[in-house]
Amino acid sequence: MNILGISAGFHDAAATVLDDDGNILFAAHSERYSKQKNDANFCNPLIRELETYNPIGTVAYYERPLVKQARQWYAGQGFEWDKLSVKKLVHNQIGHAKWWDLRHYKNYNHHLSHAAAGFQTSVFDKATVVVVDAIGEFETTTIWAAEYVNGKATYKKLWQQNYPHSIGLFYSGATKLVGLRPLDEEYILMGMAAYGGGYAKDIMKLDLVSNEWEIKFRENLHMGMSTKYLSNFSDMDIAAAAQDLAEDLILNVMLRAKQFKWSDNLVYMGGCALNCAANARIGNYFENIWIMPNPGDAGSSLGAAALAHGGRINWRDAYLGHNIPGPYPVNNVLDELLTRQIVGVASGRAEFGPRALGNRSLLADPRGSEIKEKVNDIKRRQQFRPFAPVILEELADTYFDMPRGFEHSRYMQSVARCRVPELFPAIVHADGTSRVQTVPKDGSGIRELLEKWYLMTDCPMLLNTSLNIRGEPMVNDRTDADRFEKLYGVKVCS
Ligand SMILES: [Fe+2]
């Protein structure tokens, strides 16, 4: 019988279904179905899609309710007696419908679920696992020794730091300080960082960090960051300081993890692993790196299911969500690119994770200075934020200095310095870097599209941004795609 993994009730709810053989049958975020960004709970359209994966015998919850409640009580967030039963929490999400054939209810340590989502989807037999997030149970930073013993994944915790000392809460505190939404818009803070500088970092470090090596802070940053010493700095300077300091702290954790000498393979998970500017620096510490493309709490639906399964999970790619059937519309997309420069794609299975990787993407010709404005007319993003390139993998080195550990950046997890920024201003940030997606010779639709585009134009890359109506999550089904076409007058090919 299949296994259902659940991450829900806090932010960005998600579900994963595995079969007995460790194949991922389905994985998706609730927000794509409810159209509520970062929806914390399951919604009926998602539950209806989950029903097609019956029989499900085991449900695995991504954290331990009693420990979570104890942490919330300790943090002054109250204690909710009705949220102690896993069975009840699960039923609150998926309902009491009789078709559920659930016999086993399991739940796991919050950080262990993160670790398993990474290690068990990796190709490694043995790895050092680092988890850095904001808040969950008590742990905020953990290092694990992971390996398979008789085919079963085993984890031994080597080090931990606990709430309220948290790199993620620190970064979210800075996000809030510049007027952005914490636990949501950290990626915008990361983009702002390229425009700031000065000595705000020194003040931030002196004022907030009590022990850099132990990842200890002077104040509890859960409810925000004190502004008393930073009021003279611009938002951009604060962003740069927070980014720089977060990178120092993350690299300290990596150095500590390396010093355990468990393995040269690194699995890195937790919400902080979404910081692609910091990721570009971790290749100096480990030989091989794997970050499951959905490293935050939503990805822990896969982690919890993987723990219930016990063994290696067969990871193929991140296209695990709702399916829009039919072949990839290569020729239609090319026609639109050549005539109108911009086109949407909604084809195949939706991406699991925050990045559009070609199946729910808005694509554009990346050359020239006008395209950024054109795409921004649709996206209405802050002008300072660049778009990302998707490129034929074998040519990535020609155009970008791919950082160590991310020579193949198939899930847009690292930035790389662009060698020819003057040719592609739309996909290059103020600091000269781009968040690159490389596409290997894997027979995929996006690969065929890039190959044909390259033959026709001599340009091996496209601008790639997520296909979403402003303020909404990514397009999920064809109805969403039709709405997008109607609103913006841009064709969406399926
Ligand atoms: Fe987490």
Side-chain angles (χ1 to χ4, degrees):
M1 291 177 87
N2 294 331
I3 300 166
L4 170 65
I6 286 182
S7 166
F10 179 47
H11 68 135
D12 201 10
T16 296
V17 182
L18 299 181
D19 70 11
D20 280 342
D21 296 324
N23 297 307
I24 308 172
L25 304 180
F26 174 80
H29 300 239
S30 183
E31 63 163 25
R32 311 281 160 88
Y33 294 80
S34 69
K35 316 304 171 201
Q36 305 296 315
K37 261 189 119 179
N38 291 323
D39 195 342
N41 297 303
F42 281 28
C43 58
N44 285 332
L46 170 64
I47 293 169
R48 278 200 297 276
E49 185 140 347
L50 283 171
E51 287 173 5
T52 63
Y53 294 97
N54 256 328
I56 292 170
T58 299
V59 63
Y61 196 68
Y62 79 122
E63 61 184 10
R64 298 165 297 177
L66 177 61
V67 183
K68 173 70 165 267
Q69 287 303 315
R71 201 277 299 148
Q72 288 191 334
W73 175 79
Y74 177 74
Q77 294 173 284
F79 194 96
E80 295 169 275
W81 290 98
D82 59 337
K83 289 190 174 172
L84 290 179
S85 155
V86 176
K87 203 167 177 176
K88 209 168 170 186
L89 284 169
V90 169
H91 285 186
N92 282 344
Q93 294 298 332
I94 63 174
H96 294 264
K98 281 192 178 138
W99 63 267
W100 294 110
D101 196 9
L102 299 177
R103 292 164 197 183
H104 307 288
Y105 292 81
K106 300 185 174 180
N107 60 111
Y108 300 96
N109 173 314
H110 183 106
H111 266 223
L112 183 60
S113 292
H114 277 303
F119 179 60
Q120 286 170 246
T121 54
S122 77
V123 296
F124 308 138
D125 294 326
K126 181 178 178 180
T128 304
V129 183
V130 172
V131 180
V132 184
D133 68 358
I135 195 166
E137 297 177 3
F138 284 95
E139 298 148 325
T140 57
T141 310
T142 50
I143 300 171
W144 306 77
E147 66 177 335
Y148 288 99
V149 177
N150 298 324
K152 190 173 164 34
T154 64
Y155 300 87
K156 185 179 169 224
K157 201 195 292 174
L158 301 173
W159 187 78
Q160 72 185 76
Q161 186 50 274
N162 286 345
Y163 175 89
H165 305 288
S166 162
I167 298 172
L169 280 183
F170 157 72
Y171 206 79
S172 293
T175 302
K176 190 176 174 190
L177 187 57
V178 303
L180 297 169
R181 268 196 312 277
L183 297 178
D184 179 15
E185 296 185 323
E186 280 74 7
Y187 62 98
I188 300 178
L189 188 80
M190 186 177 64
M192 289 167 65
Y195 295 88
Y199 58 97
K201 177 191 170 189
D202 302 322
I203 291 180
M204 207 179 251
K205 193 198 276 191
L206 269 175
D207 196 27
L208 295 179
V209 181
S210 64
N211 188 324
E212 251 188 290
W213 178 246
E214 295 294 329
I215 317 295
K216 284 196 162 183
F217 294 87
R218 293 187 198 281
E219 58 184 68
N220 185 339
L221 298 164
H222 190 176
M223 297 306 161
M225 187 179 281
S226 136
T227 59
K228 52 189 172 182
Y229 300 114
L230 294 167
S231 51
N232 290 333
F233 291 96
S234 69
D235 288 347
M236 299 298 190
D237 286 341
I238 290 170
Q243 177 66 29
D244 211 0
L245 191 48
E247 287 182 20
D248 287 353
L249 296 171
I250 289 167
L251 292 181
N252 275 349
V253 178
M254 294 299 166
L255 182 58
R256 184 188 282 275
K258 187 180 171 69
Q259 287 178 351
F260 283 106
K261 294 189 166 80
W262 172 256
S263 169
D264 282 334
N265 301 322
L266 170 71
V267 170
Y268 179 31
M269 295 293 290
C272 292
L274 286 166
N275 191 312
C276 52
N279 290 351
R281 297 176 64 188
I282 60 179
N284 296 325
Y285 295 80
F286 289 89
E287 287 297 313
N288 307 297
I289 300 169
W290 169 248
I291 302 172
M292 198 275 279
N294 200 357
D297 284 354
S300 288
S301 61
L302 170 51
L307 287 165
H309 176 268
R312 195 187 290 278
I313 303 305
N314 303 315
W315 177 269
R316 278 200 324 273
D317 52 46
Y319 307 115
L320 299 165
H322 180 77
N323 189 34
I324 297 178
Y328 202 83
V330 173
N331 292 330
N332 289 346
V333 170
L334 279 173
D335 286 347
E336 290 296 312
L337 282 171
L338 291 167
T339 53
R340 294 182 179 82
Q341 288 186 293
I342 303 175
V343 62
V345 184
S347 174
R349 299 194 69 169
E351 293 87 347
F352 181 48
R355 311 271 179 255
L357 301 166
N359 280 10
R360 299 293 186 278
S361 286
L362 188 65
L363 301 172
D365 184 342
R367 296 167 297 177
S369 54
E370 285 157 28
I371 193 67
K372 187 174 172 186
E373 214 166 292
K374 278 190 181 175
V375 182
N376 248 329
D377 274 350
I378 297 167
K379 301 284 289 191
R380 288 282 156 84
R381 310 188 332 164
Q382 296 89 339
Q383 282 293 337
F384 64 82
R385 293 173 58 205
F387 294 101
V390 55
I391 186 168
L392 292 169
E393 191 163 279
E394 65 275 23
L395 292 173
D397 278 335
T398 310
Y399 292 85
F400 302 97
D401 285 332
M402 302 303 289
R404 208 170 150 195
F406 290 93
E407 291 82 1
H408 298 160
S409 180
R410 293 172 185 168
Y411 303 106
M412 299 170 79
Q413 291 171 319
S414 170
V415 295
R417 196 185 65 79
C418 182
R419 293 176 191 268
V420 280
E422 65 284 0
L423 296 181
F424 304 100
I427 52 96
V428 182
H429 201 20
D431 59 3
T433 65
S434 304
R435 196 174 62 193
V436 184
Q437 179 194 352
T438 64
V439 182
K441 293 175 185 169
D442 59 0
S444 64
I446 184 82
R447 173 74 199 190
E448 189 186 341
L449 172 66
L450 281 169
E451 284 177 356
K452 286 191 173 173
W453 172 250
Y454 183 42
L455 274 177
M456 287 172 164
T457 64
D458 216 26
C459 172
M461 71 178 101
L462 288 166
L463 179 156
N464 174 23
T465 184
S466 57
L467 185 71
N468 64 295
I469 290 166
R470 280 197 288 275
E472 290 190 14
M474 262 190 265
V475 160
N476 199 41
D477 55 21
R478 189 58 232 183
T479 308
D480 299 339
D482 292 342
R483 281 177 59 224
F484 185 95
E485 277 192 349
K486 224 177 188 176
L487 268 170
Y488 303 121
V490 172
K491 191 172 169 64
V492 178
C493 303
S494 287

